Amino acid sequence: MEPYSLAITPHMTYGQIRRYAESLPVTVCSAQLPENVQGVFNGMLSTIIVDRAMTYTMKRCALTHELVHWAHGDDSCNGIMGARMEQRTRRETAALLIPRIEYATLENIYEGEAYPMAVELNVTEQVLKDYRELILAQRIKPSAL
C-alpha cells in the first residue's frame, strides 16, 4: 500500500491540523487516555484518539504522529516491524513539524539548548530530540570506506 501524503506544514497549529484531519478518511477525537499515552491510532476503526489533558503543543505533535501512522496504514508498534514503524513515524513527524532553516537559526541563537528551541518551534522536546537523532544525525554520518 502506498502511504497517504500528508499536507501538514511546520507552521500549522493544532487546530489547523485537526481541521485538516477532518478532510481525511480517518476519525479524530479526544479522550482521557492512560498516563504517558498521548495518542492512539486504531487501524481497524481508522480512528485517532488524542489525550485531551495535554497542552496544544503536545496535542499538535501527538496528532501529527498518529496521522503519520494512519498515512502508512500501521497496525502495530510491537516487535521488530513495530519498532521500525515507530522510528519511521517519529522521523516523519519531526520532518513535518520542524523547518530545517528555522531549526538551524534557533540552534545558533539558543546554542543548542533544547527547551527554548522546542518552545520557538512549537514542538515537544521529544520531537526536537527525534529531529536531532533521526534526521540530523543521519545526514552527517560519514560514509563507509
Side-chain angles (χ1 to χ4, degrees):
M1 176 184 129
E2 187 69 25
Y4 190 92
S5 181
L6 294 172
I8 295 173
T9 61
H11 296 100
M12 290 173 77
T13 64
Y14 169 70
Q16 290 169 324
I17 296 170
R18 180 80 186 249
R19 282 189 294 284
Y20 164 67
E22 290 172 4
S23 72
L24 304 173
V26 63
T27 301
V28 177
C29 57
S30 62
Q32 185 101 23
L33 294 176
E35 190 174 335
N36 298 324
V37 177
Q38 296 180 354
V40 176
F41 168 62
N42 182 316
M44 297 207 24
L45 299 175
S46 194
T47 300
I48 293 171
I49 304 171
V50 176
D51 186 8
R52 68 170 38 129
M54 298 186 300
T55 66
Y56 282 112
T57 296
M58 293 170 74
K59 289 178 183 182
R60 177 178 182 266
C61 295
L63 178 55
T64 301
H65 179 98
E66 300 307 331
L67 283 168
V68 172
H69 278 304
W70 168 80
H72 285 279
D74 294 347
D75 57 2
S76 172
C77 286
N78 298 323
I80 293 171
M81 283 307 295
R84 287 182 182 163
M85 286 187 276
E86 188 62 20
Q87 184 175 28
R88 179 208 58 225
T89 298
R90 291 170 84 129
R91 182 180 61 251
E92 289 183 19
T93 297
L96 285 168
L97 296 178
I98 298 178
R100 188 175 46 129
I101 293 173
E102 283 183 42
Y103 173 88
T105 301
L106 293 170
E107 178 82 34
N108 286 327
I109 291 170
Y110 293 112
E111 299 177 348
E113 197 64 37
Y115 178 76
M117 290 178 67
V119 169
E120 288 277 346
L121 293 166
N122 193 21
V123 297
T124 62
E125 286 185 77
Q126 181 62 56
V127 170
L128 184 72
K129 179 181 176 195
D130 292 342
Y131 185 84
R132 288 174 168 171
E133 292 177 1
L134 302 174
I135 296 174
L136 293 182
Q138 298 303 313
R139 288 184 183 159
I140 58 175
K141 277 187 177 178
S143 60
L145 297 178

